[in-house]
Amino acid sequence: MMAAPYELTGKVIRVLFQSEEEAHTIALVRIKEKNFETDETEMVIAGVGVGIEKGETYKAHGRLVDHPRFGKQMKAEWIRRVVPMTKRAAVRFLTNGSFPGIGQKTAQKIADALGDDCIDQIVKHPSLLSNVDGLKEKQARVITERLNILYGVDQLLLFLAPFDVTPRLASKIHKEYEGRAMETIEKNPYALMYDVPGIGFKTADAIAAHFGIQGIHPERIAAAVLYVLELEQGNGHLFVTADQLANEMPRIIGGDPGEALVSALETLANDERVIVEDGVVYHPRVYRAEQKAAEELARIMSTSTTEDVDMTTIFDAVGRVEEMFSIEYAKQQREAIELALKSPLMVLTGGPGTGKTTVVRGIIHALSDVFDWKLEPVQNQPFPFVLAAPTGRAAKRLSESTGLPASTIHRLLKFDGSSFQVDDTNPLVGKVLIVDEASMIDIFLFRSLLRAVPNGMKILFVGDRDQLPSVGPGQVLADLMATDGIPVVRLDVVHRQASESSILRLAHALNAKQMPDDLLAALPDRRFYTANQETALQAICQMAGAALRKGYSPFDIQVLAPTYRGVCGIDGLNEALQNVFNPKSAAREVKHGNRTYRNGDKVLQLVNNAEENVYNGDIGEITNIFYAKENVDKVDKIYIRFDQTEVEYNRSEWDQFTHAYAITIHKSQGSEFPIVLMPVFFNGGFRSSRNLIYTAVTRAKKSLLLFGDVRALEAATREEEPVRRTKLVERLGGKS
Ligand SMILES: Nc1ncnc2c1ncn2[C@@H]1O[C@H](COP(=O)(O)OP(=O)(O)OP(=O)(O)O)[C@@H](O)[C@H]1O
């Protein structure tokens, strides 16, 4: 391998591979110029470049490597189209047929008006074409659009590279601004932060400094305010206080904004880019979601059509249900059923084994008994019981435990990838909506759900208050429970035999902020192995392997971890566990970034895909891998089977899933697994909390294996999830 930098200019003979997403190209070129010795007249160049076309001439800059099969190759740091740099070359270029409507005369006029490097100038500043007399608007558009396709990304890659913007991100920016990226960036570099996921304040600010925007420039302060809002929203809060902003700004902008903060807030508020209410600052989208949710909740609670069911009727109904299930409800459970009969909306919460599922079943049958709502579908009548949960697996569990159909909330509201088809204009039909795992619902989904509830429909929210709050902003379940007028029943008596399950005892001990005295004992269903990160990783792999050999399916064995980083982080665990669950063999495999996917791999869906009925958090298996050369689309494809459906993913969609041998605790919410294994360490930079550990522990149905440092578990138990800043309770009429 020879050192860089080597450069060659060549004409593309064949494009061997090209990925827009990865901004990666492999092409065979006929060498025209080079700055190194070689007898080759042709060479393969591989590296960062997009929109590479056969027949065009490019310059590549990088290292020379000796490929075992292809011989000497260039590993290019960049591949850029050669821009015609003389007037004559420019005229030849503009009249080569790629620019419809541009003839010799027009091309010559442009070259004469803009000079030798006119092409390069037009790419950077398309508006220069307006200086060419007689050039029509349409002609200018043809030239700028075509040049953007040919050179837009190159120029952008070149411009953004010093700001650590990866070629892939540059390619996304090019696409986002449809080729007008340079103009957009020059106009307001912070637009990148608002429009392109992956570009934060730091990068946008560095680019802005390049254009002289620094210090307390209004646009810089405005961007910093919106950045703080975004950071706080990422932590679950719905707004920031003015004091918080004042405290945060010096860290963000590297100095005191002084009065500039006040004027920036005024400008942002006037432009409706923030909403300031009683001294707190919201992002408009978040403000509207919280306000709308409160309005809808008030509507639902005030338009209740729940008949004044008398106590005798209720008493008799509950009695009949107890007989049906040959159970005697505990006091709190009975209270919940009675409230469900009388209230338009209520919350049922409780830890594992306290009877939530039992009570939901009881409520359904009591409602059916008292209001004659049929439990079987009736011809031409909407089914009265509408059941939903935030994830596919939770919906499946809800359906299994009640015997009624249930779906994800996204599917219930007919999410089409960008909006919900079921809303106030096209509401849900039915008599009662039962939502399980309500702790996972963020303020946006809550607003969308409530908006779809017609007047008179009852709602029952079921959830475990002690679990992690939603990944998205807000603390909906906690706020509902804190709101006057919303009946809440908190089940706190454990009915599942505690002796049956020491996992349950650990869960309830965590809730009581204690450690069970048998934490380190060798119990049939729970073990805590003291280990360091290296030995924990080995032990987790050994135990998982042992469970497989005992006949458990890969889907029964779930490793959970709180963070991606570290030896026992998600990434490290998945790499090691793949070799346990699905070791390298003749099975097909493909590389994607720093991951290798194999046939048979267990994978996790990361985004909601409505048309395929696959949602964030669903776990599936890779069933097929097809290489580009084997299919008509000439694209590498992965097929993944989820419960009922098999989904095809082209290479550009491979960021929609990841390995699932180990998943984050957030992603495991709403699911349960026979065997759960989890490392417990003080991971640098990651804060564990009681809710996090409790959520993980309550995912285990049969066996819970913990590995690591007991002190980390004890420390986590003392940590509470921070209370999230919301005004939902206030908007609903104040705290109880
Ligand atoms: N009143 C009761 N009398 C006797 N057994 C009960 C009673 N309530 C619940 N149980 C039993 O306790 C166990 C736990 O109940 P259930 O599954 O409803 O709790 P849960 O809160 O849904 O638990 P998880 O959240 O772990 O699913 C079940 O076996 C159930 O039959």
Side-chain angles (χ1 to χ4, degrees):
M1 194 180 313
M2 299 179 228
Y6 283 81
E7 287 195 359
L8 72 79
T9 300
K11 186 170 190 169
V12 170
I13 304 166
R14 198 162 63 251
V15 176
L16 305 169
F17 169 80
Q18 180 139 232
S19 155
E20 282 262 310
E21 292 300 315
E22 317 263 337
H24 188 78
T25 293
I26 303 175
L28 177 65
V29 299
R30 178 162 307 111
I31 299 175
K32 287 180 159 178
E33 292 165 31
K34 61 200 185 306
N35 69 349
F36 54 87
E37 282 310 310
T38 175
D39 302 334
E40 315 280 345
T41 55
E42 295 179 353
M43 186 174 279
V44 170
I45 52 176
V48 173
V50 279
I52 307 293
E53 289 183 329
K54 184 178 172 192
E56 296 293 335
T57 303
Y58 295 86
K59 179 180 249 185
H61 167 109
R63 292 176 290 125
L64 294 182
V65 294
D66 289 317
H67 192 283
R69 274 182 29 219
F70 298 118
K72 210 181 285 338
Q73 265 196 9
M74 174 171 274
K75 275 250 183 248
E77 280 158 38
W78 48 257
I79 304 171
R80 263 203 294 289
R81 189 185 296 273
V82 171
V83 182
M85 298 312 270
T86 65
K87 282 179 17 177
R88 214 158 67 83
V91 171
R92 216 176 33 247
F93 176 69
L94 289 170
T95 53
N96 70 2
S98 301
F99 300 83
I102 307 299
Q104 188 71 23
K105 267 177 61 191
T106 306
Q108 192 59 54
K109 227 191 283 181
I110 292 168
D112 293 343
L114 301 180
D116 272 347
D117 57 352
C118 58
I119 302 299
D120 200 30
Q121 283 187 56
I122 298 166
V123 169
K124 283 181 182 152
H125 307 286
S127 48
L128 284 172
L129 282 171
S130 56
N131 304 342
V132 181
D133 291 342
L135 187 68
K136 295 190 188 72
E137 167 64 28
K138 185 168 180 303
Q139 289 175 312
R141 198 170 48 250
V142 162
I143 292 172
T144 47
E145 281 168 6
R146 180 70 186 142
L147 287 182
N148 272 321
I149 293 167
L150 295 173
Y151 296 103
V153 186
D154 289 354
Q155 297 300 328
L156 203 56
L157 283 170
L158 189 66
F159 171 73
L160 292 173
F163 302 106
D164 298 333
V165 175
T166 62
R168 279 178 68 188
L169 209 41
S171 178
K172 273 190 190 160
I173 294 169
H174 178 67
K175 226 183 263 170
E176 169 68 25
Y177 294 124
E178 287 158 4
R180 310 199 79 80
M182 286 307 296
E183 277 188 53
T184 311
I185 293 171
E186 277 189 53
K187 216 157 87 208
N188 178 7
Y190 297 104
L192 286 169
M193 191 179 100
Y194 310 135
D195 303 332
V196 182
I199 298 275
F201 178 80
K202 205 158 140 282
T203 305
D205 202 34
I207 295 170
H210 174 82
F211 293 108
I213 300 175
Q214 42 206 355
I216 54 169
H217 184 290
E219 199 45 62
R220 182 168 192 251
I221 304 300
V225 167
L226 293 170
Y227 180 59
V228 171
L229 266 184
E230 185 191 330
L231 288 178
E232 288 303 286
Q233 193 179 310
N235 293 328
H237 304 295
L238 299 192
F239 59 78
V240 291
T241 62
D243 295 350
Q244 254 178 312
L245 268 178
N247 297 337
E248 286 288 320
M249 292 303 272
R251 180 175 66 82
I252 304 280
I253 63 167
D256 179 1
E259 279 310 300
L261 175 57
V262 175
S263 46
L265 273 175
E266 276 163 15
T267 311
L268 285 166
N270 292 339
D271 299 347
E272 292 187 1
R273 292 166 75 191
V274 298
I275 290 178
V276 183
E277 179 189 73
D278 307 335
V280 300
V281 185
Y282 279 86
H283 190 286
R285 186 169 162 260
V286 174
Y287 179 85
R288 283 194 291 274
E290 183 182 68
Q291 196 183 40
K292 185 75 180 157
E295 283 169 16
E296 298 292 354
L297 216 48
R299 166 182 65 84
I300 291 162
M301 286 165 68
S302 63
T303 55
S304 151
T305 57
T306 305
E307 292 71 12
D308 295 334
V309 192
D310 62 82
M311 279 317 287
T312 319
T313 311
I314 290 177
F315 189 77
D316 295 348
V318 176
R320 282 190 290 274
V321 174
E322 283 184 314
E323 251 171 66
M324 181 196 303
F325 289 111
S326 41
I327 187 171
E328 190 185 334
Y329 290 119
K331 181 172 165 303
Q332 293 164 324
Q333 296 175 333
R334 172 185 294 277
E335 189 193 324
I337 298 172
E338 289 168 1
L339 269 173
L341 289 169
K342 289 190 296 192
S343 324
L345 181 144
M346 71 168 279
V347 175
L348 173 66
T349 182
T354 54
K356 292 188 300 301
T357 309
T358 304
V359 169
V360 168
R361 264 198 301 264
I363 288 173
I364 286 169
H365 286 270
L367 288 169
S368 174
D369 181 296
V370 170
F371 299 114
D372 191 24
W373 293 345
K374 301 297 180 215
L375 288 166
E376 299 298 331
V378 173
Q379 194 82 28
N380 303 330
Q381 272 189 27
F383 192 62
F385 298 92
V386 180
L387 277 57
T391 64
R393 292 174 76 87
K396 192 158 167 278
R397 271 180 54 223
L398 178 60
S399 183
E400 284 162 359
S401 64
T402 58
L404 300 180
S407 82
T408 59
I409 296 172
H410 279 79
R411 186 155 183 73
L412 180 73
L413 301 181
K414 295 192 174 56
F415 183 65
D416 64 9
S418 59
S419 64
F420 294 104
Q421 304 306 310
V422 177
D423 58 14
D424 46 335
T425 60
N426 167 30
L428 293 169
V429 283
K431 299 289 188 185
V432 60
L433 168 64
I434 297 177
V435 184
D436 200 355
E437 300 293 351
S439 62
M440 298 173 68
I441 298 175
D442 68 25
I443 192 66
F444 299 117
L445 189 58
F446 188 55
R447 176 272 322 272
S448 302
L449 180 62
L450 293 178
R451 192 170 51 190
V453 172
N455 291 347
M457 179 181 265
K458 277 181 180 294
I459 310 181
L460 166 63
F461 287 105
V462 185
D464 182 345
R465 163 88 171 78
D466 292 302
Q467 277 199 37
L468 280 170
S470 54
V471 174
Q475 51 171 34
V476 168
L477 183 63
D479 283 351
L480 285 175
M481 291 174 62
T483 298
D484 283 343
I486 295 181
V488 178
V489 172
R490 185 195 282 259
L491 302 174
D492 52 19
V493 174
V494 179
H495 289 278
R496 183 172 294 129
Q497 292 317 314
S499 57
E500 274 170 44
S501 161
S502 74
I503 299 169
L504 220 55
R505 272 191 295 111
L506 172 59
H508 289 283
L510 286 169
N511 262 352
K513 302 189 175 63
Q514 286 153 11
M515 281 292 113
D517 45 22
D518 59 3
L519 179 65
L520 295 175
L523 301 170
D525 60 349
R526 167 167 58 83
R527 280 298 299 269
F528 192 111
Y529 297 92
T530 301
N532 63 36
Q533 297 230 25
E534 286 66 25
T535 50
L537 180 62
Q538 285 161 11
I540 288 171
C541 289
Q542 281 157 12
M543 300 283 192
L548 281 173
R549 284 189 295 279
K550 269 194 209 136
Y552 283 97
S553 125
F555 294 89
D556 295 335
I557 308 162
Q558 188 59 57
V559 176
L560 300 182
T563 177
Y564 283 90
R565 286 188 299 275
V567 171
C568 280
I570 298 281
D571 294 338
L573 284 161
N574 269 320
E575 198 171 330
L577 289 161
Q578 185 185 35
N579 295 324
V580 173
F581 284 89
N582 192 17
K584 186 169 180 55
S585 67
R588 290 185 154 211
E589 63 180 41
V590 281
K591 286 217 172 302
H592 179 56
N594 52 11
R595 289 201 175 86
T596 301
Y597 287 114
R598 294 179 188 138
N599 250 354
D601 269 348
K602 180 170 139 183
V603 289
L604 172 76
Q605 176 75 11
L606 297 171
V607 294
N608 291 320
N609 180 342
E611 65 265 24
E612 298 287 0
N613 190 21
V614 168
Y615 293 90
N616 180 6
D618 287 355
I619 294 179
E621 177 184 5
I622 291 181
T623 48
N624 258 314
I625 293 175
F626 287 114
Y627 300 127
K629 58 180 182 289
E630 296 168 326
N631 63 71
V632 292
D633 303 335
K634 294 279 168 258
V635 178
D636 291 335
K637 293 175 185 285
I638 286 180
Y639 288 81
I640 299 175
R641 168 175 302 291
F642 296 92
D643 281 347
Q644 281 87 18
T645 172
E646 182 169 70
V647 183
E648 174 190 283
Y649 296 79
N650 291 332
R651 179 177 277 274
S652 61
E653 297 163 317
W654 289 2
D655 283 341
Q656 294 185 18
F657 59 84
T658 185
H659 278 122
Y661 300 109
I663 63 176
T664 63
I665 296 161
H666 280 91
K667 287 289 182 202
S668 72
Q669 284 188 85
S671 304
E672 286 178 327
F673 311 92
I675 302 176
V676 167
L677 303 94
M678 182 167 73
V680 181
F681 292 101
F682 290 101
N683 278 355
F686 180 83
R687 185 182 49 76
S688 270
S689 70
R690 180 177 60 77
N691 315 70
L692 188 89
I693 301 286
Y694 170 85
T695 301
V697 164
T698 51
R699 297 314 90 199
K701 285 319 274 178
K702 252 175 72 52
S703 170
L704 174 68
L705 305 174
L706 301 172
F707 304 79
D709 182 345
V710 175
R711 292 167 307 160
L713 189 69
E714 287 158 353
T717 309
R718 291 191 293 274
E719 288 287 321
E720 284 297 315
E721 281 293 315
V723 175
R724 296 178 163 187
R725 282 187 296 281
T726 80
K727 289 170 77 175
L728 184 61
V729 177
E730 208 177 295
R731 293 179 197 285
L732 287 170
K735 285 194 183 299
S736 52

